[in-house]
Amino acid sequence: MKKIINDPADVVTESLRGLAAAHPDLLRVQYEPDVVVRADAPVAGKVAVVSGGGSGHEPLHGGFVGPGMLHAAVPGAVFTSPTPDAVQAAVTATTGEAGALLIVKNYTGDVLNFETAGELAAAEGLDVRSVVIDDDVAVADSTFTAGRRGVGGTVLLEKITGAAAERGDSLDAVEALARKVIGQVRSIGVALTAPTVPHVGEPSFTLGEDEIEFGIGIHGEPGRERIPLEPADALVERMINAVVEDLPFTTGDRVLLFTNSMGGTPLVELYLAHGIAENLLADRGITVARRLVGPYITSLEMQGISITLLKVDDELTELWDAPVNTAALRWRI
């Protein structure tokens, strides 16, 4: 294992110290328990949008803390859910009379721990709601979940709900919007190599030189099938078919297309795949109204990509376009 680390047990804390040093205008970090909070939190009169999960998926979630997106992010250990007390600390640090929305990826530990934290916050008199995102079409159940996994759609959900909270929407409205997004977003991923968790010290799984894992999870969970490596045209078509046929997306739909690197795939390959996806969607009569390309929800250094489609209307497009100022996502500031 070759990584730029010190003690594997200290990776997350030391990374958070670096994040805080790099972006003091946007965020602050509280330790023991670890929480990343907007620099100006709590924001009076605004719904707090809080998310989190295991580390190793950066910039998700801490890189999305700031005006127009998250009010707080709760990082657990690598690929490990944050504890309820950490989630509760994030809620307490950001939430006022307007209440809070918790965005939870559908992994068993996340769902249980965020639910417990929500109950603890409610006991403090705070109005806290939760939504669970489960956009992965690859498998019905997986190693870490009952039901589908929460993956790339999380980034889009955090941006859109964060924009709604920023403009002053009520908690009821932000929650309803979140459920709308969850109902209209689908994703699938593929892996060429496995990630190596620092405290484990070896790859999570083994692939042959001519093999890929189709439908991989963001923790290296198995996908639909292990298939021979194929040219980009065929691979991206396989991914687009899986996503489009699940909702299904149809001729005349307008979508946001998110082409994501799992951490180790360079932009030259990522843009190549994105171009193929755009052409395939055009062939189906599906209009790509908005785009996002880059490593925004990763799996450490895994080589691979994921593709996410969100069906959009004028409201979702307006919220996507709204100003955002975070470490990893920023425009119109």
Side-chain angles (χ1 to χ4, degrees), residues 57-59 64 258-263 265 267 270 293-298:
H57 307 302
E58 289 74 19
F64 299 135
F258 172 30
T259 308
N260 174 67
S261 167
M262 301 301 293
T265 296
L267 283 172
L270 198 62
V293 181
Y296 292 106
I297 174 169
T298 63

Side-chain angles (χ1 to χ4, degrees), residues 265-313:
T265 296
L267 283 172
V268 66
E269 296 175 30
L270 198 62
Y271 278 116
L272 186 154
H274 181 85
I276 295 168
E278 290 245 5
N279 289 335
L280 290 168
L281 292 170
D283 290 344
R284 289 174 173 264
I286 297 171
T287 299
V288 179
R290 294 294 185 272
R291 302 152 177 89
L292 183 66
V293 181
Y296 292 106
I297 174 169
T298 63
S299 182
L300 295 170
E301 78 281 31
M302 180 193 287
Q303 286 181 265
I305 64 172
S306 63
I307 289 176
T308 298
L309 287 181
L310 169 64
K311 186 182 295 188
V312 296
D313 53 19

Side-chain angles (χ1 to χ4, degrees), residues 110-322:
D110 287 359
V111 172
L112 292 175
N113 291 346
F114 273 78
E115 179 180 344
T116 300
E119 292 171 353
L120 293 171
E124 295 179 352
L126 299 175
D127 189 357
V128 180
R129 318 276 179 84
S130 295
V131 294
V132 177
I133 182 164
D134 55 355
D135 55 307
D136 189 358
V137 306
V139 290
D141 295 285
S142 73
T143 310
F144 294 88
T145 67
R148 294 180 168 187
R149 305 174 289 216
V151 289
T154 311
V155 177
L156 313 186
L157 178 62
E158 291 178 355
K159 168 61 180 79
I160 289 169
T161 54
E166 194 71 26
R167 74 181 180 186
D169 286 15
S170 69
L171 181 55
D172 285 343
V174 176
E175 180 185 13
L177 183 69
R179 297 190 186 282
K180 175 180 176 179
V181 171
I182 290 167
Q184 297 179 186
V185 66
R186 300 290 187 273
S187 302
I188 197 162
V190 62
L192 283 66
T193 64
T196 298
V197 176
H199 65 266
V200 176
E202 60 186 29
S204 302
F205 56 88
T206 302
L207 285 170
E209 287 297 317
D210 62 345
E211 288 183 320
I212 60 175
E213 186 77 23
F214 183 76
I216 196 74
I218 59 173
H219 307 95
E221 310 98 308
R224 285 186 178 182
E225 57 183 331
R226 191 161 291 189
I227 62 174
L229 179 65
E230 54 191 11
D233 283 333
L235 179 59
V236 176
E237 183 173 13
R238 185 189 295 267
M239 297 176 75
I240 287 292
N241 287 344
V243 173
V244 167
E245 293 167 8
D246 187 89
L247 189 57
F249 296 84
T250 60
T251 298
D253 283 345
R254 297 168 60 232
V255 300
L256 190 163
L257 169 60
F258 172 30
T259 308
N260 174 67
S261 167
M262 301 301 293
T265 296
L267 283 172
V268 66
E269 296 175 30
L270 198 62
Y271 278 116
L272 186 154
H274 181 85
I276 295 168
E278 290 245 5
N279 289 335
L280 290 168
L281 292 170
D283 290 344
R284 289 174 173 264
I286 297 171
T287 299
V288 179
R290 294 294 185 272
R291 302 152 177 89
L292 183 66
V293 181
Y296 292 106
I297 174 169
T298 63
S299 182
L300 295 170
E301 78 281 31
M302 180 193 287
Q303 286 181 265
I305 64 172
S306 63
I307 289 176
T308 298
L309 287 181
L310 169 64
K311 186 182 295 188
V312 296
D313 53 19
D314 290 345
E315 179 187 30
L316 295 185
T317 302
E318 178 184 347
L319 289 165
W320 178 256
D321 289 345

